[in-house]
Amino acid sequence: MPCYAIEDVIPVVHPTAYVHPTAVLIGDVLIGPGCYIGPAACLRGDFGRIVIEAGANVQDTCVIHGFPAHDTVVEEHGHIGHGAVLHSCIVRRDALVGMNAVVMDEAEVGPQAIVAACAFVPAGMKIPPRSLVAGVPAKVRRELSDQEVAWKQEGTRTYQDLTRRCLATMREVVPLRELEADRPRLRAPDVRPLIATKRDGQG
């Protein structure tokens, strides 16, 4: 992976974490056990420290950065969706930041909270535990149901499994020129969108 020291401060990656070869780590970045860092994610620890705690995932094209003397933290089992931006904020244990959401300076996403896709969490906002926030700017909409919390946890476990799958089998290859006979399917866990889970529950 592209991994850079600045002022002799070198990123730290736990051996059980998976960092995609196209992700970029710069400076004061700490990646904990069992973490997943996706393709083209950029973690710039050239001002403030970035901490990704055990079992968290930071998905493709996410950007994480912060001001000097401020840590940007994703706590254990945090889940950062595709394209999200985190800046000088804290995402507490087992919380989710949805796709293309932005969480700004000194904001705090409470434990087991969910930030909806494309939401903008303004600087200094404190999101209560186990709540849903959405909108631009983000507002607290309601408390999460047990079903929604369970769905989030299942999704995070799926990324923890992906970490193990990538460490075991991910490799760079030359693409095939044509479809082979009896092409195998991936052995990924059966995870579904929340809307499908809710639809099944109503049926």
Side-chain angles (χ1 to χ4, degrees):
M1 81 200 83
C3 189
Y4 303 93
I6 183 168
E7 297 171 352
D8 294 326
V9 178
I10 301 172
V12 177
V13 178
H14 193 276
T16 62
Y18 176 78
V19 180
H20 190 273
T22 62
V24 179
L25 307 182
I26 299 173
D28 198 1
V29 177
L30 309 177
I31 309 295
C35 291
Y36 173 88
I37 310 297
C42 179
L43 283 67
R44 274 185 53 208
D46 48 13
F47 289 173
R49 176 171 293 173
I50 295 169
V51 181
I52 312 298
E53 294 187 359
N57 67 78
V58 176
Q59 297 173 21
D60 3 355
T61 73
C62 290
V63 175
I64 302 181
H65 192 239
F67 283 112
H70 286 79
D71 292 357
T72 304
V73 180
V74 179
E75 291 188 345
E76 286 187 78
H77 309 301
H79 192 109
I80 312 301
H82 316 291
V85 177
L86 307 182
H87 202 276
S88 284
C89 60
I90 298 177
V91 178
R92 293 293 183 195
R93 182 186 177 95
D94 209 24
L96 180 151
V97 176
M99 293 181 278
N100 286 317
V102 176
V103 184
M104 288 298 294
D105 311 307
E106 299 185 27
E108 183 175 323
V109 180
Q112 295 191 325
I114 292 179
V115 176
C118 297
F120 179 82
V121 178
M125 183 176 186
K126 306 301 182 194
I127 297 171
R130 202 179 159 118
S131 59
L132 172 68
V133 300
V136 180
K139 292 185 169 67
V140 176
R141 304 296 175 169
R142 58 178 173 79
E143 185 175 346
L144 292 169
S145 68
D146 291 344
Q147 181 188 35
E148 289 166 326
V149 171
W151 171 82
K152 183 273 166 195
Q153 292 170 338
E154 180 185 9
T156 300
R157 285 192 295 271
T158 299
Y159 269 89
Q160 291 165 350
D161 181 69
L162 179 60
T163 297
R164 294 185 288 269
R165 292 169 59 211
C166 289
L167 287 170
T169 68
M170 180 82 80
R171 59 192 174 93
E172 189 169 0
V173 296
V174 176
L176 300 174
R177 293 184 176 272
E178 59 184 41
L179 181 67
E180 68 269 52
D182 300 321
R183 182 177 176 85
R185 292 278 186 173
L186 292 170
R187 296 186 297 275
D190 180 23
V191 63
R192 296 180 301 150
L194 182 59
I195 189 171
T197 304
K198 289 182 174 180
R199 187 170 53 238
D200 291 350
Q202 292 169 356

